[in-house]
Amino acid sequence: MSISKASAASILLAILAVLAPSIRAADTNLVYSPCTDTTVQKSDGFTFGIAFAPRTSFVFNNTLQLSPCDSRLSLSSSSQLAVFRPKVDEISLLTVNTSGFFPENYGGYMVAFAGRKYAARSNSAFVANSTYTVTSFTLVLEFQKGRLQNLFWKRDGCATCSGNSSFVCLNNQDCAIKTSSCKNRGSGGTVDCSLGIQLAFSGTDKHLSVFNSWYEVENLRQYSLYKLYSNLKDSLTSQYNNFF
């Protein structure tokens, strides 16, 4: 079936009409530091950080879990920082290139965080040690009236690697591969172990508009499109499916 030039033009105009509101939408959030408080709306960018350090470095006096923005934590000499600014309520794929950065050399755990007076942080998530590396994560940012309340890692109980002997299920929640299989580890590994973090939002913005991206991620799990997206974001799974 062919499409006439007039029909094609009409389709293009219809697509542009749908996209126009998002194209025109301005980013009203002028806060670019992950350690500064802010409130956001759907058209905004939002800045947050991920710190890589030993698990104990995120705990003060062995009891209190603090944000990396808190000066009571001594992270400067034992940590690395990645800063991201995704668009609010859009499903995003964040990556951390590990071709020259090895999480296992900085303690092997990561914490996502933002804010100071209204500080929010995730639990510490295992990334890598000398034996295993996890490369695929899902992070949900939860807001209330536009202010960040929580960040949490969403696990699938190793469903994405179930039955694949190339992977190990750690603590019944994370798919991991042997670190020796990763590139640039001095052991001849061939797998790109860059971290992939799928990001979604839940809650409401400062105008009480509901965020839908986490709901959309959950719904997409039942369709083949989600599998295609998962293969795209999960560098290890896609590579090993090609190898075996």
Side-chain angles (χ1 to χ4, degrees):
M1 181 181 67
S2 61
I3 300 177
S4 67
K5 291 183 179 179
S7 297
S10 298
I11 293 172
L12 178 59
L13 288 174
I15 293 173
L16 290 175
V18 172
L19 294 178
S22 61
I23 294 173
R24 292 195 302 266
D27 183 350
T28 66
N29 179 22
L30 301 181
V31 172
Y32 292 90
S33 168
C35 291
T36 302
D37 299 312
T38 189
T39 57
V40 296
Q41 63 186 23
K42 283 193 174 185
S43 60
D44 290 341
F46 179 75
T47 303
F48 74 98
I50 295 180
F52 297 85
R55 189 174 189 175
T56 54
S57 297
F58 299 111
V59 182
F60 180 67
N61 279 346
N62 297 318
T63 57
L64 186 60
Q65 298 187 57
L66 299 178
S67 166
C69 295
D70 196 306
S71 60
R72 288 174 289 178
L73 294 182
S74 300
L75 291 172
S76 57
S77 62
S78 60
S79 65
Q80 289 287 296
L81 175 66
V83 177
F84 301 95
R85 189 176 174 85
K87 191 169 183 179
V88 171
D89 204 30
E90 287 192 357
I91 300 172
S92 301
L93 174 64
L94 313 178
T95 60
V96 178
N97 188 336
T98 58
S99 60
F101 161 64
F102 310 129
E104 63 271 23
N105 292 344
Y106 293 91
Y109 283 81
M110 65 180 175
V111 163
F113 65 94
R116 184 174 294 277
K117 180 180 179 180
Y118 300 97
R121 55 153 284 181
S122 70
N123 289 329
S124 55
F126 171 76
V127 182
N129 58 23
S130 59
T131 306
Y132 296 113
T133 295
V134 180
T135 66
S136 183
F137 299 86
T138 297
L139 179 65
V140 181
L141 277 61
E142 183 178 17
F143 289 76
Q144 184 177 358
K145 296 181 180 179
R147 190 177 298 283
L148 182 66
Q149 302 294 311
N150 192 19
L151 306 95
F152 57 94
W153 305 105
K154 189 70 175 177
R155 265 75 179 215
D156 67 357
C158 297
T160 55
C161 62
S162 177
N164 190 330
S165 60
S166 301
F167 292 85
V168 173
C169 182
L170 298 180
N171 303 315
N172 295 317
Q173 61 182 17
D174 291 319
C175 297
I177 189 68
K178 289 183 178 180
T179 302
S180 59
S181 298
C182 299
K183 293 179 181 178
N184 304 313
R185 295 306 200 275
S187 54
T190 59
V191 179
D192 178 3
C193 290
S194 296
L195 306 185
I197 302 172
Q198 179 180 270
L199 186 72
F201 293 76
S202 68
T204 57
D205 74 358
K206 61 184 179 182
H207 303 300
L208 298 182
S209 295
V210 177
F211 293 146
N212 295 313
S213 57
W214 172 238
Y215 174 76
E216 292 168 355
V217 168
E218 285 285 85
N219 281 346
L220 281 173
R221 293 179 187 273
Q222 61 184 304
Y223 300 111
S224 58
L225 178 62
Y226 183 83
K227 183 177 180 181
L228 174 63
Y229 180 79
S230 296
N231 286 338
L232 173 64
K233 77 180 180 66
D234 188 339
S235 60
L236 283 178
T237 299
S238 61
Q239 290 176 87
Y240 271 84
N241 283 343
N242 289 332
F243 292 160
F244 297 95

